[in-house]
């Protein structure tokens, strides 16, 4: 069964460093999302992406964050200069169209030290 | 702004007992999901509820939706230890050409033998 795959599963980075989190959606997915979950808290929406454009972003998704789908397969989330408070689990999700259920990847645990 | 609240936040119950988790949301939404999350893991989709009065059951879990009251319930029947996890409800709004999920605070369920 096709899966949404995220790499790496765990990344440790120093404060101020750039990180890129990668997601390989299921091949027929067109809508893509990133969510964040700080340890012990709820899942929060970061950004949605369709047709190579951001369709919506939350207030969390500030200028330090960017997304792209450079090669038509990988969907990436970049954090330019990480802060301690960026430590969280980051989930990628994808769906075939706007009104269907999105499938989640297994997540990337980002630890900023 | 859509707000989603769950209660209780923590629930400790004995095996064999029944209990209900409640999910309230503040504005009209398109659909409601229930997810299960084990520690350090991704979100496992349990149910999607589309319309008023919808009821779905899988094993010892049953979910229902009352769109007029903006309330969904997740009922656990004769709990077993394997059901210990955190349960999230999430609602969608199809704005901005996407279907982002707004999650509830989560209910951490612990089943005691």
């Amino acid at each position: 069964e096709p899966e949404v795959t995220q790499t790496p599963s765990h990344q440790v980075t120093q404060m101020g460093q750039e990180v890129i989190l990668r997601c390989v959606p299921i091949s027929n997915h067109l809508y893509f999302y990133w969510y964040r979950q700080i340890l012990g808290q709820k899942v929060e929406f970061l950004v949605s992406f369709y047709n190579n454009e951001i369709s919506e972003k939350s207030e969390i998704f500030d200028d330090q964050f960017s997304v792209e789908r450079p090669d038509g397969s990988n969907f990436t989330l970049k954090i330019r200069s990480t802060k301690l408070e960026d430590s969280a689990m980051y989930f990628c999700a994808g769906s075939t169209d706007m009104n269907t259920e999105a499938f989640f990847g297994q997540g990337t645990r980002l630890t900023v030290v | 702004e859509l707000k989603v609240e769950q209660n209780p936040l923590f629930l400790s119950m004995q095996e064999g007992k029944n209990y209900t988790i409640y999910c309230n949301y503040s504005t009209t939404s398109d659909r409601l999901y229930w997810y299960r999350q084990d520690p350090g893991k991704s979100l496992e989709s349990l149910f999607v509820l589309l319309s008023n009065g919808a009821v779905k059951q899988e094993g010892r879990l049953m979910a229902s939706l009352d769109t007029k009251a903006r309330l969904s319930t997740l009922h656990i029947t004769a709990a077993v230890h394997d059901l210990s996890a955190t349960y999230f409800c999430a609602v969608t709004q199809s704005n901005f050409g996407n279907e982002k999920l707004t999650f509830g605070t989560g209910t951490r369920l612990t089943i005691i033998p």
Side-chain angles (χ1 to χ4, degrees):
Chain A
E1 186 175 324
E3 290 183 339
V4 176
T5 305
Q6 290 185 241
T7 56
S9 57
H10 188 192
Q11 178 149 3
V12 181
T13 189
Q14 286 199 324
M15 192 169 53
Q17 295 297 304
E18 175 184 285
V19 294
I20 298 176
L21 310 183
R22 303 181 192 280
C23 171
V24 179
I26 297 170
S27 59
N28 61 345
H29 283 179
L30 300 174
Y31 292 79
F32 307 104
Y33 306 84
W34 283 101
Y35 292 85
R36 177 183 86 172
Q37 185 181 31
I38 294 171
L39 184 64
Q41 298 188 21
K42 68 178 180 180
V43 180
E44 300 172 290
F45 169 77
L46 290 178
V47 65
S48 59
F49 190 85
Y50 170 72
N51 201 25
N52 282 321
E53 288 183 344
I54 290 174
S55 48
E56 188 178 359
K57 60 183 180 180
S58 72
E59 57 192 29
I60 302 170
F61 194 89
D62 61 22
D63 291 344
Q64 293 299 314
F65 291 87
S66 63
V67 289
E68 64 176 1
R69 197 168 180 234
D71 56 8
S73 60
N74 291 289
F75 178 49
T76 62
L77 174 70
K78 181 192 290 186
I79 310 174
R80 287 189 186 83
S81 178
T82 49
K83 308 182 188 68
L84 294 176
E85 54 264 37
D86 293 327
S87 295
M89 185 77 96
Y90 289 81
F91 293 106
C92 168
S95 66
T96 52
D97 67 49
M98 198 174 73
N99 295 315
T100 59
E101 181 174 1
F103 290 88
F104 282 82
Q106 79 277 23
T108 292
R109 178 167 298 285
L110 176 66
T111 303
V112 182
V113 297
Chain B
E1 181 189 344
L2 174 60
K3 293 190 189 307
V4 183
E5 293 183 351
Q6 284 180 240
N7 69 84
L9 297 182
F10 298 94
L11 178 57
S12 182
M13 53 191 291
Q14 286 190 314
E15 278 190 328
K17 300 290 188 185
N18 304 334
Y19 210 82
T20 301
I21 299 171
Y22 298 89
C23 173
N24 288 93
Y25 52 99
S26 60
T27 63
T28 303
S29 79
D30 297 309
R31 67 203 65 202
L32 187 141
Y33 294 87
W34 282 98
Y35 292 92
R36 169 184 170 141
Q37 187 180 40
D38 292 302
K41 302 294 186 183
S42 188
L43 298 157
E44 176 189 352
S45 177
L46 297 173
F47 303 108
V48 54
L49 303 169
L50 301 178
S51 58
N52 189 44
V55 176
K56 290 196 175 179
Q57 183 163 5
E58 181 74 34
R60 301 175 189 274
L61 301 177
M62 183 174 72
S64 65
L65 178 64
D66 180 344
T67 57
K68 293 178 182 175
R70 296 185 190 139
L71 171 69
S72 179
T73 61
L74 180 67
H75 187 73
I76 302 143
T77 302
V80 293
H81 179 68
D82 287 351
L83 292 178
S84 295
T86 299
Y87 292 84
F88 291 95
C89 64
V91 298
T92 65
Q93 286 182 310
S94 297
N95 298 326
F96 304 99
N98 71 83
E99 195 171 84
K100 74 173 188 183
L101 290 162
T102 301
F103 283 80
T105 45
T107 296
R108 185 176 298 179
L109 175 64
T110 304
I111 310 295
I112 303 167

